[in-house]
């Protein structure tokens, strides 16, 4: 961890796709090195690299912080900078994360607040350097600290137990910010490519042939075909799915026809 409270926020790496601010993460007075390592790992997962620490615990390269950090032990964690709380307020648009909020607008310390998903939407297009600030494991950020920050973010959770582990809370918030910080993921852009209309229509026709092969009552076939078409329309099958289903219907129809032919042959012989 390197000292550098005088380093300007302008030196931070820009966001991945230009649709949001440069986002930094700060952890205030963390009690356990392991949570710092977990947050560093989550930052690495979701495209963030700049970690600021206010009154941090000792981060031994052989200890649990580096053990929990995964590949973030190679860059995010060793490059973390120790700063004071004033530095965060003076250099960033700040977002404080807290579990418990006030119930109404009569207190402005923890109200209004945004959920992590709402925060991602509100930061899109913001051009100033932003810092998401996480507090202590047991008590989070104090009211005095929250009062000095620009926005408040809170994770919706069960009313009888809304307090999350510090590392969990940071992971959820950073996940929701990923569209601002990650240029590409391991998932393809087109996760579901619908079959061409010709293939879908062929599947619908194949179902019609199947109804005929099983001698479905003729007066009921139009309704059955309409129901099938609606089902397929909602499912948006891929090309492979449409081809596979057409093959199944075709083989079933052929097998039914062979059974019918044998039955007709047996009746003729009788």
């Amino acid at each position: 961890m390197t000292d550098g409270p005088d380093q300007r926020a302008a030196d931070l790496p820009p966001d991945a796709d230009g649709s949001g601010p440069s986002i930094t993460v700060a952890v205030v007075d963390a009690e356990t090195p392991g949570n710092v390592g977990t947050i560093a790992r989550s930052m690495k997962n979701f495209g963030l690299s700049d970690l600021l620490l206010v009154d941090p615990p000792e981060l031994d390269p052989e200890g649990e912080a580096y053990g929990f950090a995964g590949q973030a032990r190679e860059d995010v964690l060793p490059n973390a900078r120790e700063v004071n709380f004033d530095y965060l307020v003076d250099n960033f648009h700040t977002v404080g994360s807290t579990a418990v909020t006030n119930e109404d607008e009569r207190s402005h310390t923890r109200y209004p607040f945004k959920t992590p998903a709402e925060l991602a939407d509100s930061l899109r297009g913001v051009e100033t350097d932003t810092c998401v600030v996480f507090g202590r494991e047991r008590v989070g950020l104090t009211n005095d600290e929250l009062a000095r920050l620009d926005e408040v973010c809170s994770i919706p959770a069960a009313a009888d137990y809304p307090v999350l582990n510090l590392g969990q809370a940071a992971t959820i918030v950073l996940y929701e910010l990923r569209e601002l910080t990650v240029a590409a993921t391991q998932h393809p852009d087109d996760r579901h490519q619908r079959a061409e209309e010709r293939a879908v229509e062929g599947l619908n026709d194949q179902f019609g042939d199947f109804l005929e092969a099983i001698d479905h009552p003729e007066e009921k076939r139009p309704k059955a075909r309409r129901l099938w078409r609606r089902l397929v329309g909602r499912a948006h099958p891929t090309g492979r799915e449409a081809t596979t289903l057409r093959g199944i219907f075709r083989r079933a129809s052929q097998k039914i026809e062979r059974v019918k032919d044998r039955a007709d042959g047996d009746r003729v012989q009788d």
Side-chain angles (χ1 to χ4, degrees), residues 1 10 15 21 33 50 53 78 85 89 92 105 164 169 197 199 207 228:
M1 183 172 58
D15 61 286
D50 200 77
L53 302 173
F85 198 85
V89 175
F92 297 93
E105 71 277 4
L164 280 75
E197 288 305 318
F207 179 73
W228 171 260

Side-chain angles (χ1 to χ4, degrees), residues 98-104 110-114 152-155:
T98 182
V100 181
T101 67
N102 296 103
E103 295 181 357
D104 57 43
R110 298 171 184 255
Y111 187 98
F113 65 91
K114 292 183 174 70
V152 173
C153 177
S154 185
I155 299 169

Side-chain angles (χ1 to χ4, degrees), residues 8 108 172 270:
R8 300 301 299 172
H108 293 281
I172 291 171
D270 292 342

Side-chain angles (χ1 to χ4, degrees), residues 1-2 33-34 36-37 53 57-70 72-80:
M1 183 172 58
T2 59
V36 177
L53 302 173
E58 185 68 29
L59 302 183
D60 183 354
E62 303 299 324
E64 66 176 17
Y66 280 76
F68 288 6
R73 72 170 66 91
E74 300 172 3
D75 45 21
V76 177
L77 202 52
N79 291 325

Side-chain angles (χ1 to χ4, degrees), residues 8-231:
R8 300 301 299 172
D11 295 333
L12 304 177
D15 61 286
D17 59 7
S19 62
S22 172
I23 297 176
T24 295
V25 173
V27 183
V28 176
D29 198 15
E31 299 173 14
T32 63
N35 272 326
V36 177
T38 298
I39 292 173
R41 178 172 185 154
S42 296
M43 291 174 61
K44 184 83 170 180
N45 287 143
F46 301 119
L48 294 158
S49 60
D50 200 77
L51 174 61
L52 302 179
L53 302 173
V54 177
D55 298 324
E58 185 68 29
L59 302 183
D60 183 354
E62 303 299 324
E64 66 176 17
Y66 280 76
F68 288 6
Q71 291 188 13
R73 72 170 66 91
E74 300 172 3
D75 45 21
V76 177
L77 202 52
N79 291 325
R81 294 182 285 130
E82 184 172 349
V83 301
N84 56 41
F85 198 85
D86 289 340
Y87 177 78
L88 306 180
V89 175
D90 292 342
N91 289 278
F92 297 93
H93 173 75
T94 50
V95 180
S97 179
T98 182
V100 181
T101 67
N102 296 103
E103 295 181 357
D104 57 43
E105 71 277 4
R106 287 174 294 181
S107 175
H108 293 281
T109 301
R110 298 171 184 255
Y111 187 98
F113 65 91
K114 292 183 174 70
T115 66
E118 292 168 341
L119 178 65
D121 288 338
S122 72
L123 291 179
R124 195 181 308 276
V126 172
E127 297 182 356
T128 189
D129 296 317
T130 297
C131 184
V132 182
V133 185
F134 298 96
R136 304 155 187 83
E137 286 88 339
R138 290 181 297 173
V139 298
L141 295 167
T142 67
N143 280 341
D144 288 341
E145 289 167 342
L146 285 170
R148 299 184 64 195
L149 303 181
D150 299 307
E151 296 188 69
V152 173
C153 177
S154 185
I155 299 169
D160 58 348
Y161 191 44
V163 181
L164 280 75
N165 170 275
L166 176 59
Q168 291 175 321
T171 299
I172 291 171
V173 173
L174 300 184
Y175 166 77
E176 291 291 357
L177 294 177
R178 71 195 182 283
E179 291 187 1
L180 304 180
T181 60
V182 177
T185 71
Q186 81 279 20
H187 294 159
D189 291 335
D190 295 325
R191 284 173 280 183
H192 185 99
Q193 187 171 1
R194 190 178 190 274
E196 294 181 357
E197 288 305 318
R198 183 186 307 172
V200 174
E201 194 58 32
L203 174 58
N204 293 331
D205 291 341
Q206 201 75 52
F207 179 73
D209 294 341
F210 175 74
L211 293 176
E212 183 176 348
I214 63 174
D215 291 327
H216 192 69
E218 189 168 352
E219 69 277 10
K220 294 184 178 181
R221 291 178 194 175
K223 181 177 181 180
R225 293 194 65 162
R226 286 197 302 273
L227 291 175
W228 171 260
R229 181 180 291 274
R230 292 172 188 167
L231 175 65

